[in-house]
Amino acid sequence: MAAAGARWNHVWIGTETGILKGVNLQRKQAANFTATGQPRREEAVSALCWGAGGETQILVGCADRTVRHFSIEEGRFQGQRHCPGGEGTFRGLAQVDGTLITCVDSGILRVWHDNDKEASSDPLLELRVGPGVCRMRQDPAHPHVVATGGKENALKVWDLQGSEEPVFRAKNVRNDWLDLRVPIWDQDIQFLPESQKLVTCTGYHQVRVYDPASPQRRPVLEATYGEYPLTAMTLTPGGNSVIVGNTHGQLAEIDLRQGRLLGCLKGLAGSVRGLQCHPSKPLLASCGLDRVLRVHRIRNPRGLEHKVYLKSQLNCLLLSGRDNWEDEPQEPQEPKKVPPEDTETDELWASLEAAAKRRLPDLEQTQGVLQTKRRKKKRPGSTSP
Amino acid sequence: MAKAGDKSGGSGKKALKRKAATEEPQEAAVAEDGATESGVQPPKAAAFPPGFSISEIKNKQRRHLMFTRWKQQQRKEKLAAKKKLKKEREALGDKAPPKPVPKTIDNQRVYDETIVDPNDEEVAYDEATDEFASYFNRQTSPKILITTSDRPHGRTVRLCEQLSTVIPNSHVYYRRGLALKKIIPQCISRDFTDLIVINEDRKTPNGLILSHLPNGPTAHFKMSSVRLRKEIKRRGKDPTEHIPEIILNNFTTRLGHSIGRMFASLFPHNPQFIGRQVATFHNQRDYIFFRFHRYIFKSEKKVGIQELGPRFTLKLRSLQKGTFDSKYGEYEWVHKPREMDTSRRKFHL
């Protein structure tokens, strides 16, 4: 049951109590998955990322420095890997080509060989990024390129296949009008698609755009929002704006072409910990310390779509990027269902089948619809997949 | 005139009505009189323009008269209906249907999905391992530091003194313009478990910051209706040194649970029943009422109480994760009036 349901979850959320929650917004159900069956605060999820092979596996980075593999098909945790080195929790998790990239708070970035056996505990590559890292993000277009940033740790872009020096090292802005050094606190980083640019949001409520292709190492664009530290950021579909969230639960959409505020989203009551936009649909999932997952619609009209109360504090989320949210095809169960038919149901649907046969391409879909209706009757005696 | 007589009879014995009644014959609008009469009595046949209401009369005194007359009529009808209902109930006796429960804002409260189910394991685990776990596991006992905003006036100082008699193991210190962020590490090193800061504005205390110390949440409240001991009528003698019992009423939601636990962790675990003192934090409609009483059981079921101690009302403004850091701290819950106060029947605690 849980396994079958796990496949159709739209949002995966990691919590402070170590539970991985899968939420299906169509059926409005949330399921809890734990590695050991009991929630444990030592396993608090601090980073989530998709595993290899599309969206079938999730890598869960926990507070006890282990990365666990969760298989969506099977709906359970499959293996784990201990990633020692450095201090603090995971600030970034990524996977490329069968290797795992982890970055911890104290600035140790390591690339591990991602095999299920915990035998080899030596990293393939280790980089020292600088203390106080708040985020490490992988470029979706170039999986070997990662960016790191943190508190008093300027933005650096690293090429893991290249040298040990960063490819791009950002410079701090000029001193402010009192000639005081402007402090640095990069909280979240995103790579802009179709260019080399990066966007960061800072704890001093600034949103900055950097362009490694230009000779300028300082930010190309800077915009500010609100008075509270910005904690999470995501790109909107279209790539021209970002949505940021701060510690007061305020969400704002900021245009990157002009650096101005496009609009705000209401509803959150606590600090925003995770934000993600769907790659094609205008939907935004947000989670935070107020223990509620909210899905907003970002344009026409801007507003709240779904709200789900999940009982623990939510740390990070992954939004499934697939397009067919509404469909719940029963294809794997159909061939099994067709043989054990009752004659009564046969007679019942015979009249409908006659109508369906007229349009051959649609036959399968109607069969599917009929099968779902039949499935409800069949459940007590049905063969489980 | 029959009409005038009828009106003066219908309007009652007020002098105003007499004056209005004398003005009536001077009015020429017969149709109007007829229409208002139709408004007073059950609707006549449509001889007069329908949809006419008392508010369309332009003359203020006449309009007022018509309205008072209508109001009296309504009151009479209501009384008659009540009497009738009462008679029917008496006539039916035991078979009478149960009295309908009146609607109040409290029982019309919108369903809050965050209300904690006592059997919920996830929430139970969350609470068992939160920042107050060490208090509830009896590993630490509370030690409170009470202070105020800078340069407090008399009321605030007296409130702090009285609070320190109510909360056992608490110490009052004068805030010599010190920054809270500098006080907090010093408190932690001296084993304090909680910090209470009473904020003052225009010589009255109006805010309370309660910060659980090692790394616990910080709650910021608005404080109102503060009554010091001498302002409480019929109060008992000053509280003794006995550890009071605690009553936490009506903290149902998850946020309410967190705040309730915060208040509970201010008091030591082992109440001394000899002292017969009890501190109550009663939550109703998101306002938390603090009272301190001494009780005495006169018999099995009858209790007498004496109010001692200060009394005040709190309203939660924000709950911040971590110790006091209003600028860079992460908030677990912030009260946003324009978003959260849209419904009169929705409460968060």
Side-chain angles (χ1 to χ4, degrees):
Chain A
M1 241 320 251
R7 200 178 298 139
W8 311 120
N9 286 332
H10 299 118
V11 193
W12 293 93
I13 304 180
T15 62
E16 289 258 342
T17 48
I19 303 174
L20 179 69
K21 291 183 186 261
V23 181
N24 186 319
L25 298 165
Q26 294 302 124
R27 275 186 269 152
K28 303 199 194 293
Q29 284 173 352
N32 285 2
F33 300 98
T34 44
T36 52
Q38 289 296 319
R40 285 178 63 223
R41 216 165 261 268
E42 297 80 25
E43 294 171 14
V45 177
S46 49
L48 280 182
C49 81
W50 292 112
E55 293 181 354
T56 52
Q57 219 192 36
I58 299 182
L59 298 170
V60 181
C62 300
D64 56 357
R65 311 291 302 285
T66 56
V67 176
R68 291 161 205 268
H69 299 254
F70 178 79
S71 155
I72 295 182
E73 300 288 318
E74 293 178 37
R76 58 181 188 84
F77 282 88
Q78 282 184 321
Q80 66 171 44
R81 200 212 152 79
H82 185 60
C83 301
E87 288 159 4
T89 65
F90 288 118
R91 294 292 186 181
L93 204 61
Q95 73 86 30
V96 59
D97 282 354
T99 57
L100 182 69
I101 312 172
T102 59
C103 184
V104 287
D105 202 29
S106 63
I108 308 284
L109 192 154
R110 285 187 169 180
V111 181
W112 306 85
H113 201 68
D114 188 20
N115 49 358
D116 285 338
K117 304 173 284 266
E118 294 185 50
S120 53
S121 57
D122 286 335
L124 290 173
L125 176 65
E126 179 174 323
L127 288 175
R128 279 178 199 278
V129 175
V133 175
C134 288
R135 186 75 76 186
M136 178 204 76
R137 187 75 79 171
Q138 179 191 39
D139 189 353
H142 309 103
H144 290 275
V145 173
V146 295
T148 57
K151 188 152 190 171
E152 296 307 324
N153 187 343
L155 175 70
K156 297 186 183 79
V157 180
W158 306 84
D159 187 350
L160 297 172
Q161 288 174 326
S163 68
E164 296 254 328
E165 289 295 313
V167 168
F168 173 73
R169 189 194 285 266
K171 196 168 165 183
N172 195 5
V173 293
R174 291 204 169 85
N175 287 353
D176 63 10
W177 63 293
L178 292 171
D179 202 23
L180 293 170
R181 175 187 174 269
V182 177
I184 302 174
W185 188 4
D186 286 324
Q187 288 259 39
D188 201 352
I189 309 170
Q190 288 281 352
F191 283 84
L192 285 175
E194 290 153 21
S195 75
Q196 282 190 312
K197 294 195 209 166
L198 302 111
V199 198
T200 57
C201 72
T202 69
Y204 300 108
H205 44 87
Q206 299 147 334
V207 176
R208 293 172 167 165
V209 178
Y210 292 87
D211 192 353
S214 77
Q216 186 181 336
R217 278 170 60 204
R218 288 201 165 120
V220 164
L221 178 75
E222 181 171 310
T224 57
Y225 169 68
E227 319 155 330
Y228 301 102
L230 303 173
T231 50
M233 180 165 73
T234 181
L235 298 169
T236 52
N240 288 323
S241 59
V242 287
I243 299 190
V244 292
N246 66 7
T247 54
H248 262 232
Q250 295 161 344
L251 292 177
E253 186 173 356
I254 297 188
D255 186 24
L256 292 176
R257 293 174 290 189
Q258 292 189 318
R260 65 184 183 95
L261 179 69
L262 288 177
C264 292
L265 293 158
K266 294 200 296 190
L268 271 93
S271 172
V272 178
R273 282 282 176 100
L275 272 184
Q276 193 172 347
C277 254
H278 193 273
S280 51
K281 303 189 202 207
L283 291 173
L284 170 79
S286 59
C287 74
L289 290 181
D290 59 347
R291 302 181 170 94
V292 176
L293 164 74
R294 287 181 175 84
V295 177
H296 290 262
R297 178 168 288 275
I298 10 184
R299 34 174 171 274
N300 36 303
R302 196 181 269 133
L304 184 66
E305 286 255 320
H306 303 104
K307 187 169 96 154
V308 185
Y309 171 64
L310 305 163
K311 302 158 197 158
S312 314
Q313 288 177 344
L314 311 171
N315 246 341
C316 37
L317 63 82
L318 274 182
L319 184 61
S320 142
R322 64 176 200 262
D323 277 328
N324 55 338
W325 268 30
E326 290 78 14
D327 295 346
E328 294 215 3
Q330 305 293 329
E331 280 100 354
Q333 292 170 12
E334 264 196 48
K336 291 179 201 167
K337 289 287 185 259
V338 170
E341 272 180 13
D342 286 345
T343 45
E344 311 148 32
T345 44
D346 249 354
E347 286 154 14
L348 210 83
W349 300 117
S351 50
L352 281 173
E353 264 186 34
K357 272 180 188 154
R358 263 183 253 135
R359 294 169 296 155
L360 271 172
D362 297 336
L363 182 64
E364 271 153 323
Q365 279 183 355
T366 48
Q367 283 276 22
V369 167
L370 301 176
Q371 292 300 339
T372 51
K373 288 185 184 157
R374 235 182 296 215
R375 200 169 87 87
K376 286 186 180 153
K377 282 194 232 172
K378 279 275 168 201
R379 246 186 214 164
S382 68
T383 53
S384 51
Chain B
M1 296 203 326
K3 270 191 192 158
D6 174 23
K7 286 207 173 93
S8 58
S11 334
K13 294 150 198 135
K14 297 181 187 172
L16 270 174
K17 301 299 172 307
R18 290 270 166 71
K19 234 202 273 182
T22 50
E23 284 172 17
E24 278 168 29
Q26 290 150 23
E27 284 185 59
V30 177
E32 235 187 41
D33 291 349
T36 48
E37 264 190 273
S38 76
V40 168
Q41 292 155 13
K44 274 189 185 163
F48 307 104
F52 179 87
S53 78
I54 303 178
S55 60
E56 286 175 26
I57 305 177
K58 296 305 179 183
N59 182 325
K60 183 165 179 177
Q61 283 189 335
R62 181 125 175 90
R63 190 169 64 236
H64 179 69
L65 170 80
M66 288 291 123
F67 178 73
T68 354
R69 190 185 299 173
W70 176 80
K71 230 14 197 170
Q72 282 181 334
Q73 186 72 22
Q74 294 291 95
R75 235 177 281 144
K76 222 193 256 186
E77 285 171 16
K78 189 170 171 192
L79 205 60
K82 258 199 196 163
K83 264 201 179 156
K84 185 161 156 245
L85 199 61
K86 191 166 176 197
K87 234 185 236 170
E88 281 174 13
R89 283 188 76 89
E90 279 176 23
L92 282 178
D94 277 338
K95 290 175 291 182
K99 274 191 173 170
V101 178
K103 281 197 253 182
T104 61
I105 289 190
D106 293 300
N107 57 22
Q108 299 293 101
R109 179 174 176 175
V110 300
Y111 169 67
D112 196 340
E113 55 198 347
T114 56
I115 287 182
V116 176
D117 178 20
N119 304 330
D120 197 327
E121 300 162 344
E122 192 178 336
V123 176
Y125 178 78
D126 199 10
E127 292 195 339
T129 51
D130 70 355
E131 294 101 343
F132 302 106
S134 64
Y135 166 80
F136 284 97
N137 293 338
R138 314 256 178 149
Q139 286 160 357
T140 51
S141 65
K143 187 174 170 193
I144 322 283
L145 178 73
I146 303 183
T147 185
T148 64
S149 53
D150 199 20
R151 303 191 63 133
H153 283 83
R155 271 185 80 86
T156 315
V157 171
R158 265 174 268 137
L159 177 68
C160 287
E161 289 165 16
Q162 291 178 8
L163 258 186
S164 71
T165 56
V166 162
I167 305 177
N169 204 7
S170 59
H171 308 264
V172 181
Y173 282 87
Y174 178 57
R175 174 102 174 266
R176 298 164 48 97
L178 301 164
L180 278 182
K181 286 204 199 161
K182 295 211 173 105
I183 298 180
I184 285 175
Q186 296 223 0
C187 285
I188 297 178
S189 66
R190 286 177 173 82
D191 279 336
F192 278 93
T193 56
D194 288 274
L195 172 69
I196 299 183
V197 183
I198 299 196
N199 190 55
E200 185 201 33
D201 183 54
R202 288 166 65 106
K203 304 182 189 171
T204 47
N206 73 343
L208 181 88
I209 296 175
L210 175 55
S211 187
H212 189 70
L213 271 183
N215 45 2
T218 305
H220 178 29
F221 296 95
K222 254 198 282 203
M223 181 157 42
S224 51
S225 285
V226 178
R227 302 280 175 262
L228 300 175
R229 259 182 213 135
K230 63 178 185 177
E231 295 159 13
I232 297 179
K233 299 191 170 136
R234 294 180 288 276
R235 70 177 163 97
K237 292 204 177 125
D238 285 341
T240 55
E241 295 288 323
H242 296 102
I243 296 176
E245 302 161 47
I246 322 291
I247 295 182
L248 294 164
N249 267 345
N250 219 0
F251 289 96
T252 47
T253 63
R254 185 70 187 82
L255 179 67
H257 265 234
S258 306
I259 300 291
R261 284 164 74 83
M262 253 189 129
F263 286 130
S265 70
L266 287 177
F267 294 88
H269 265 294
N270 43 339
Q272 289 169 318
F273 298 100
I274 301 182
R276 290 182 280 121
Q277 288 173 145
V278 57
T280 308
F281 292 90
H282 176 90
N283 172 37
Q284 190 157 342
R285 297 198 200 171
D286 282 353
Y287 284 91
I288 302 170
F289 299 92
F290 172 78
R291 301 285 183 270
F292 194 72
H293 295 281
R294 180 179 288 133
Y295 61 87
I296 181 158
F297 278 102
K298 295 178 195 159
S299 72
E300 271 274 322
K301 300 210 173 161
K302 284 180 71 171
V303 195
I305 52 173
Q306 268 181 344
E307 184 163 6
L308 319 173
R311 87 159 63 147
F312 48 85
T313 319
L314 300 172
K315 185 164 187 197
L316 183 67
R317 280 176 69 173
S318 65
L319 179 63
Q320 186 213 323
K321 193 173 162 101
T323 54
F324 180 77
D325 189 352
S326 61
K327 216 157 120 182
Y328 302 119
E330 293 206 322
Y331 284 84
E332 208 178 297
W333 188 84
V334 175
H335 180 249
K336 297 185 180 174
R338 298 194 71 175
E339 289 178 36
M340 297 181 183
D341 285 350
T342 43
S343 164
R344 298 187 73 165
R345 292 168 210 87
K346 180 156 181 47
F347 307 113
H348 309 283
L349 276 184

